[in-house]
Amino acid sequence: MEPFRKLTAHAVPIDQPNVDTDQIIPARFLQKPRSAPFGDFLFRDVRFNADGSEKPEFVLNAPFRREAKVVVAEDNFACGSSREQAVWALYDFGVRVVIAPSLGDIFSANASKNGLLTIVLPAPVVRGMIDALKAEPDLEIAVDLENQTVSLPNGPAHGFEIDPYRKRLLLEGLDEISFTLGQLDKIEAFEKTYAG
Amino acid sequence: MLRQKGVKPRAPLRAFGTPDHYIPTTSRDLMDMQDAEARQMAIALQNDTAAAGIPFFGLNDPRQGIIHVVAPEQGMSRPGMLIVCGDSHTSTHGALGALAFGIGASEVAHVLATQTLWQRKPRSMRVTLTGKLGPGVVAKDIILALIAKISAAGASGYAVEYAGPAIDALTVEGRMTLCNMTIEAGGRAGMIAPDEATFAYIEGRPYAPKGADWDKAVAAWRRLKTDTDAVFDREIALDVSTLSPMVTWGNSPEAAAPITGRVPLLEEAANAEKRGVMERAFAYMGLTPGMPLTDIAIDRVFIGSCTNARIEDLQSAAAVVRGRKVAEGVEAWVVPGSGLVKAEAEKLGLDQVFKEAGFQWREAGCSMCLATNGDKLLPGQRAASTTNRNFVGRQGPGSRTHLMSPAMAAAAAVTGHLTDVRDLMGER
Ligand code: SF4
């Protein structure tokens, strides 16, 4: 997995709550292998017409949004299905950070296994970012994982919380299975005492 | 993923697999799968579980079905267990007193390889349900009413325990419906402390402990109760005697209302953002603000899914359908949750009740719940569905889904529009 440390990049505001993973990637793409171009499937049915042409009103099709590496979304982003392909679709599109007041739990867990950072910030702060991005689409957001801060140009740095283990996974780009198997002695000790 | 890393499953006998999402419901032949990639995936599941020594119920096994129906039915899901699966509705198994939640594909690989998972303790929420359900009101109505009350993000970050007199009175199958849809409130796990009803449900099932082991297990399970002085991070109370049968009108499970009510008005939205969501939902769902819910005419009916395709669900739907006909122009399906549910229903003659009314009686699987196997709504078609998600495009591109209980879906099937099932119950 690619490590993540910091970036400064364009961002895309997704100004609606409860965006579910069925929207992020419709179920009919789930059987594709990981090597498939998942970025093309991102928000497929809201981003493209049935004939494959772009829907101009959808935010990802606007200037500066195509090269966005940050998504700033409303409450409960990526709720619903556990499909890890939702993370792959965002990642393959180029997104490395998702910021929201709350996120689907399983999505956040999946994100941290794939080099995608999820950040929870208070609702008013996120609201302010979305409004700023709508007013000035070329704004760049700066995200620093090491110091746990997010900021807009000339704005204050907002601190965020992150699970120390997830932080380490992302900073070091750890392979989690090898990492855990490195502690096999503890697993074996537990298995000896576990009766279930 | 494990093969690429050269890692073997650590405890294959603690794992289990059965195909459900992609399989046909018209036959039991993998070769009938239209999509070559999906067929390849189903074959890979079969081969990989065999190679790893993981127990597997294939398509020709009469016990095959939706994993969240099959595992409890087999006695595999038991109190005190930690159960994970690469599917968000794993929360279902919490109804048996297990801690059960959905994980992604990478975590599934991690669990198979290491038999462990890195987790942080979630916040805790208790939902206390009091009162007695009225006639025609069931577990599905409780969970839809709860999500409408706390929102689709209301339990985000929490593990939820359901408790109270209304839970004590609920059947284990009803409890599964509640825990199943906890994810639709944002909660990853829903659970219910095991009691006599739980033990009675598990006893005698194929994977349940037997003889002296059973007695020992039950003694241990009896201790799995929340301490009386336990403090939860959040407490919610709901009196279920106030509830009516519920239906959804929008594209989030929180957009639910009693069938006696109306589609909301834009002015009733709490804020500008909610108003926008409502406007989009009305356009997508083809609804007029303020229209009575019972005026919504439907094209399709789907009785199935891990939320509502167990035997009790089919019985309650059949009770409404018996002696009636599916309304003209409506296509109605029943897809049992497992091969054994189907066999049981056939033993009870329920298949005849459904078929005589004009329903299609199909093979077990997820089917039109997420429409990856070719079973789907056509664009613009509207369904009364016993599933769990009414998202945009969930039952096929352009599909319009109204969630409700099996009896309510049956009522819609025979009248052709959303209907208060209690009106049909009074007639006989
Ligand atoms: S029935 Fe629907 S919700 Fe349940 S496991 Fe299958 S696809 Fe998922």
Side-chain angles (χ1 to χ4, degrees), chain B residues 21 66 68 87 89 305-306 366 369-370 388 394:
Chain B
H21 280 57
I66 307 171
H68 311 310
D87 187 278
H89 291 99
S305 90
C306 59
C366 294
C369 175
L370 97 162
N388 41 53
R394 170 79 178 183

Side-chain angles (χ1 to χ4, degrees), chain B residues 81-337:
Chain B
M81 281 183 154
L82 174 56
I83 301 171
V84 291
C85 168
D87 187 278
S88 59
H89 291 99
T90 306
S91 57
T92 313
H93 310 255
L96 295 142
L99 175 58
F101 52 87
I103 55 178
S106 294
E107 288 198 316
V108 169
H110 186 273
V111 170
L112 285 174
T114 68
Q115 207 60 22
T116 66
L117 194 58
W118 293 93
Q119 288 291 301
R120 207 151 265 283
K121 188 173 140 227
R123 287 179 290 173
S124 61
M125 177 189 294
R126 175 161 54 192
V127 176
T128 304
L129 300 168
T130 57
K132 206 168 160 268
L133 288 171
V137 188
V138 293
K140 184 67 162 279
D141 304 308
I142 301 178
I143 190 69
L144 286 174
L146 179 72
I147 298 168
K149 180 180 159 122
I150 67 172
S151 94
S156 184
Y158 291 92
V160 180
E161 176 178 351
Y162 298 95
I167 287 294
D168 299 340
L170 205 59
T171 63
V172 172
E173 295 198 352
R175 295 173 186 182
M176 286 190 223
T177 302
L178 268 190
C179 290
N180 172 278
M181 283 192 69
T182 304
I183 182 79
E184 260 55 71
R188 210 166 161 188
M191 53 196 318
I192 292 173
D195 61 6
E196 294 309 320
T198 321
F199 309 145
Y201 176 89
I202 297 171
E203 190 168 14
R205 294 188 184 265
Y207 285 75
K210 305 267 159 16
D213 287 344
W214 170 257
D215 297 335
K216 224 173 88 192
V218 171
W221 296 345
R222 278 187 208 286
R223 294 198 295 272
L224 299 174
K225 278 207 184 309
T226 295
D227 300 335
T228 44
D229 57 351
V231 179
F232 285 77
D233 296 317
R234 189 170 174 202
E235 296 262 10
I236 309 261
L238 183 68
D239 177 0
V240 303
S241 29
T242 62
L243 300 181
S244 298
M246 302 287 291
V247 294
T248 65
W249 50 265
N251 297 117
S252 163
E254 71 182 24
I259 183 67
T260 49
R262 292 166 175 272
V263 172
L265 297 169
L266 285 174
E267 301 78 285
E268 289 159 14
N271 52 42
E273 189 179 85
K274 292 261 183 227
R275 193 187 160 106
V277 171
M278 232 186 230
E279 242 166 340
R280 276 193 299 273
F282 290 159
Y284 181 81
M285 294 294 291
L287 298 175
T288 314
M291 74 191 284
L293 288 165
T294 47
D295 281 0
I296 299 175
I298 49 132
D299 308 298
R300 307 278 296 266
V301 172
F302 179 69
I303 297 177
S305 90
C306 59
T307 310
N308 281 127
R310 284 170 283 270
I311 192 68
E312 242 172 58
D313 300 316
L314 303 193
Q315 280 171 312
S316 76
V320 175
V321 168
R322 197 181 301 273
R324 295 194 166 99
K325 290 269 180 251
V326 171
E328 213 170 294
V330 173
E331 183 178 327
W333 293 13
V334 182
V335 178

